[in-house]
Amino acid sequence: MIKIFFRRIHLYLSLAAGLVILICCLTGAILVFEKDLQMALNKGRYYVEPAAQTRSLSQLQDVVRTAYPKSKVNSIRVYEDPSRSAEFNITLPGKAEGQQAKGGPPARQPGATLFVNPYTGQILEQYSYRETVFFQVFALHRWLLGGEKSVGKYIVGISTIIFLFILITGIILWWPKNKAILLRRLKIKKDANWKRINHDFHLVFGFYSSIFLFIFAFTGLAWSFEWFNEGIYKVTNSPLKPPPPPVSAYTGAASTLSPDKSLALGRSTYANAVYYNISIPKDSAEAVTVSALSKDAPHESATDALYLDQYSGAVLGMLPFSERSLGARVRSSFKPIHTGSIGGTPTKILAFVVCLLGVTFPITGFIMWRNRVGKKKKVKAAGVKQTPVETVV
């Protein structure tokens, strides 16, 4: 009776959320290698021919301001790899800059990344992620092509919660009564008919991938529900908001700290980094923030921060990743875990394979259900009383 109850729960939840789960797993598989594909297919954007001397960041910034006179430079990213281009994140003026449509939301200015050759100053490409195919895949994965506050976001979130229950009930149904059944459920019977192979595929690969699918789904909740994020900080007994960054001592004059000086201080403070990201202050009080990703960092989100006075260049404070709150460190690990990048290429391959398997389970499960329904109809039509047998959805 217990297994019948869980079988029905497993079936009904799968029928309710199966299509959304299939879409999320398929798009997730594509996004696993998004960065790798972008860099492989657009080498002229990310890579340059190294030369003897790089131009200063101030010179590169002047090139950007000359080419885009109405733009605002938000940040500059410099890689320690000599073959990588520099990245300037800019805000472009919108059609209704500083204005608000009547009855509508405030106008938002479009942003872009300029890839610049650090040796010649040539602007290689103006890039906007929102204009790429990958963004459409991302939007389908996160919001079903809706938006950050759309109904699609909550449909994905609720379906993810349902998926967690499907995985749990699936393990309960899979759990064998004895060793003989265990051995059968750990491998596919290759010489059986297609219905049995479909059945075994669902059970066997469902078991092997269930723990990974559970982790991917669980971490995915962080982008769907604010209460889930708040729960991370409560469980870790950490403050929800990070400590406010220090501010610059306003002198009444224009900012004098150059990006080159900021980069030099970042390199002297955090050596052996993959890249340094220099933020440009938005107002007269904000400090310059230099973020550095160490080569020894546990994952791609584990950056260290250095705060500098935008007038004097004095070091106002530091926040290494290791000194962040436990909640902040745990939350920062969710993206690399969710995308499979936490362990580099091996975990990406694992995530890719598991996501592809996740695509098949709604299909194989549906086929199993249809086969069972068809069998019951045949038995009923023949007027034969069916002997109950143990089956697993």
Side-chain angles (χ1 to χ4, degrees), residues 121-171:
Q122 177 190 2
I123 296 177
L124 304 172
E125 186 178 336
Q126 176 187 323
Y127 169 81
S128 176
Y129 179 58
R130 287 182 172 270
E131 297 175 359
T132 65
V133 174
F134 281 110
F135 178 76
Q136 298 304 316
V137 176
F138 171 80
L140 182 60
H141 181 77
R142 286 274 298 276
W143 316 306
L144 298 180
L145 295 179
E148 208 160 336
K149 295 183 179 179
S150 67
V151 176
K153 172 184 176 180
Y154 296 103
I155 292 176
V156 170
I158 293 170
S159 297
T160 303
I161 293 176
I162 291 175
F163 190 31
L164 294 176
F165 282 99
I166 290 173
L167 291 169
I168 293 171
T169 55
I171 290 296

Side-chain angles (χ1 to χ4, degrees), residues 12-25:
Y12 298 149
L13 291 179
S14 298
L15 292 174
L19 180 59
V20 178
I21 293 169
L22 186 153
I23 291 172
C24 288
C25 286

Side-chain angles (χ1 to χ4, degrees), residues 88-389:
F88 283 73
N89 179 270
I90 64 171
T91 300
L92 298 168
K95 293 182 179 179
E97 182 179 358
Q99 299 179 359
Q100 181 176 349
K102 188 175 181 181
R108 294 182 63 182
Q109 296 176 334
T113 300
L114 298 180
F115 290 84
V116 182
N117 188 318
Y119 302 99
T120 65
Q122 177 190 2
I123 296 177
L124 304 172
E125 186 178 336
Q126 176 187 323
Y127 169 81
S128 176
Y129 179 58
R130 287 182 172 270
E131 297 175 359
T132 65
V133 174
F134 281 110
F135 178 76
Q136 298 304 316
V137 176
F138 171 80
L140 182 60
H141 181 77
R142 286 274 298 276
W143 316 306
L144 298 180
L145 295 179
E148 208 160 336
K149 295 183 179 179
S150 67
V151 176
K153 172 184 176 180
Y154 296 103
I155 292 176
V156 170
I158 293 170
S159 297
T160 303
I161 293 176
I162 291 175
F163 190 31
L164 294 176
F165 282 99
I166 290 173
L167 291 169
I168 293 171
T169 55
I171 290 296
I172 292 173
L173 294 172
W174 176 91
W175 206 260
K177 290 181 178 180
N178 52 56
K179 186 177 179 181
I181 298 176
L182 171 64
L183 295 175
R184 289 202 302 269
R185 292 183 182 176
L186 289 176
K187 58 183 179 180
I188 296 175
K189 190 176 181 181
K190 297 178 182 179
D191 57 347
N193 60 40
W194 73 269
K195 291 184 179 180
R196 176 56 190 267
I197 292 176
N198 179 82
H199 175 275
D200 287 355
F201 190 97
H202 190 83
L203 266 67
V204 174
F205 287 109
F207 169 72
Y208 287 132
S209 62
S210 58
I211 183 63
F212 303 106
L213 286 171
F214 190 94
I215 292 171
F216 296 149
F218 183 79
T219 51
L221 291 176
W223 288 276
S224 293
F225 302 107
E226 192 58 37
W227 55 262
F228 186 86
N229 279 306
E230 293 174 359
I232 296 171
Y233 290 90
K234 286 183 180 179
V235 169
T236 57
N237 195 27
S238 305
L240 183 60
K241 294 183 179 180
V247 296
S248 300
Y250 181 57
T251 62
S255 176
T256 58
L257 182 62
S258 70
D260 297 282
K261 179 66 174 177
S262 301
L263 178 60
L265 290 170
R267 281 172 169 163
S268 63
T269 305
Y270 299 117
N272 195 37
V274 176
Y275 67 75
Y276 296 93
N277 198 79
I278 305 163
S279 71
I280 309 300
K282 298 180 180 65
D283 53 45
S284 59
E286 191 174 45
V288 174
T289 304
V290 182
S291 301
L293 178 65
S294 171
K295 292 179 180 178
D296 300 322
H299 52 74
E300 60 191 359
S301 300
T303 55
D304 303 313
L306 173 69
Y307 302 103
L308 305 172
D309 188 294
Q310 63 172 289
Y311 303 101
S312 65
V315 177
L316 300 176
M318 295 184 293
L319 184 59
F321 177 76
S322 59
E323 294 183 12
R324 293 190 198 179
S325 69
L326 178 59
R329 280 181 280 140
V330 171
R331 178 62 183 85
S332 70
S333 69
F334 271 44
K335 182 179 179 180
I337 290 175
H338 186 73
T339 60
S341 65
I342 188 73
T345 302
T347 51
K348 283 185 178 181
I349 294 173
L350 175 64
F352 177 74
V353 172
V354 168
C355 285
L356 287 183
L357 288 173
V359 174
T360 69
F361 297 139
I363 299 171
T364 55
F366 181 79
I367 292 173
M368 289 170 61
W369 173 66
R370 290 295 300 167
N371 289 338
R372 186 174 294 114
V373 170
K375 185 177 180 180
K376 286 182 178 179
K377 286 182 178 179
K378 288 180 180 180
V379 170
K380 188 175 181 181
V384 180
K385 186 177 180 181
Q386 186 178 13
T387 304
V389 292

